[in-house]
Amino acid sequence: GAVVSQHPSRVICKSGTSVKIECRSLDFQATTMFWYRQFPKQSLMLMATSNEGSKATYEQGVEKDKFLINHASLTLSTLTVTSAHPEDSSFYICSARGRVNTEAFFGQGTRLTVV
Amino acid sequence: AQSVTQLGSHVSVSEGALVLLRCNYSSSVPPYLFWYVQYPNQGLQLLLKYTSAATLVKGINGFEAEFKKSETSFHLTKPSAHMSDAAEYFCAVEAGGYNKLIFGAGTRLAVHP
């Protein structure tokens, strides 16, 4: 299947700082990317959907000013957690879909720890 | 609106035994249904998907699932469990085409010798 690379796999940051997570589709053009958040031993909660060149669509309850999503190219989307707090600590996962490959492929996830 | 219910947050089987992970869905339109597997600290890997073709779907690693509209179910099975099958399994639904996925709460499968 297609490959989606997410970076970094782990990050620790201090409260109040911002962290950027990258999601790249390595061998296909991702017209749509999704960002999920997963708390320990829980399911994936969709945070937002982004289409290349458009503003992201956020799910209800997700602060768009805190979780900035950029999808500037067909192979890259970024999630920036701004002014991070300990409660933002979580596992963040992206997935991507392309024009031809309608199946969603998932990145390996990023474990964010805010101290 | 679409939703997924996975019955049993934890399932434990013996190596070689049948694996049955339950998933029921709710959808106002014909659904697309998926099963994913997640190993610790990793993303999700697609096991199989139902997209309105054959109701019995075969996936990777010997898993299969049957779509039963009358029961609104899409249970995942494997005839003989391997130790390597121990992981978290998620059922997901998508309505009306390849849009966003709604995930169930997940079932943790443990396989013991």
Side-chain angles (χ1 to χ4, degrees):
Chain A
V3 178
V4 174
S5 177
Q6 194 172 334
H7 178 80
S9 57
R10 292 177 178 269
V11 59
I12 300 174
C13 71
K14 293 183 178 180
S15 290
T17 61
S18 295
V19 174
K20 180 183 287 187
I21 302 170
E22 293 187 348
C23 181
R24 294 181 184 272
S25 57
L26 298 185
D27 50 4
F28 69 101
Q29 294 184 326
T31 54
T32 306
M33 286 191 171
F34 306 87
W35 287 95
Y36 295 85
R37 182 173 181 177
Q38 185 180 29
F39 290 102
K41 302 185 187 300
Q42 294 188 29
S43 188
L44 283 73
M45 300 300 295
L46 180 65
M47 298 174 66
T49 303
S50 72
N51 293 297
E52 184 263 339
S54 305
K55 289 184 178 180
T57 302
Y58 289 81
E59 295 298 305
Q60 189 173 8
V62 178
E63 299 176 61
K64 62 180 181 181
D65 294 330
K66 181 169 185 60
F67 299 100
L68 301 178
I69 293 172
N70 183 280
H71 191 169
S73 78
L74 284 171
T75 59
L76 173 65
S77 176
T78 60
L79 167 67
T80 301
V81 182
T82 63
S83 187
H85 291 282
E87 56 264 32
D88 298 325
S89 299
S90 190
F91 194 57
Y92 293 87
I93 305 175
C94 72
S95 72
R97 282 190 166 138
R99 293 191 183 99
V100 176
N101 295 320
T102 55
E103 175 183 330
F105 296 94
F106 286 79
Q108 64 268 49
T110 297
R111 182 157 303 282
L112 169 64
T113 303
V114 184
V115 297
Chain B
Q2 293 75 42
S3 66
V4 173
T5 301
Q6 290 183 242
L7 298 176
S9 59
H10 289 82
V11 171
S12 181
V13 300
S14 299
E15 191 173 18
L18 171 71
V19 175
L20 171 61
L21 304 183
R22 299 178 186 274
C23 173
N24 288 88
Y25 69 91
S26 173
S27 178
S28 57
V29 297
Y32 291 172
L33 295 159
F34 305 80
W35 273 101
Y36 286 89
V37 61
Q38 184 183 34
Y39 297 97
N41 294 310
Q42 294 188 28
L44 274 67
Q45 180 182 11
L46 180 67
L47 284 176
L48 48 81
K49 59 185 177 184
Y50 166 77
T51 56
S52 73
T55 57
L56 181 61
V57 181
K58 294 187 182 298
I60 62 172
N61 301 338
F63 285 95
E64 63 181 38
E66 185 173 8
F67 172 72
K68 292 186 176 181
K69 184 178 179 180
S70 61
E71 298 177 7
T72 61
S73 69
F74 190 57
H75 302 331
L76 181 71
T77 61
K78 182 174 180 177
S80 177
H82 292 185
M83 297 296 289
S84 60
D85 294 327
E88 188 86 20
Y89 291 81
F90 293 98
C91 181
V93 65
E94 177 181 9
Y98 287 82
N99 203 344
K100 60 185 181 182
L101 295 171
I102 305 300
F103 286 88
T107 297
R108 182 168 298 277
L109 174 66
V111 182
H112 51 85

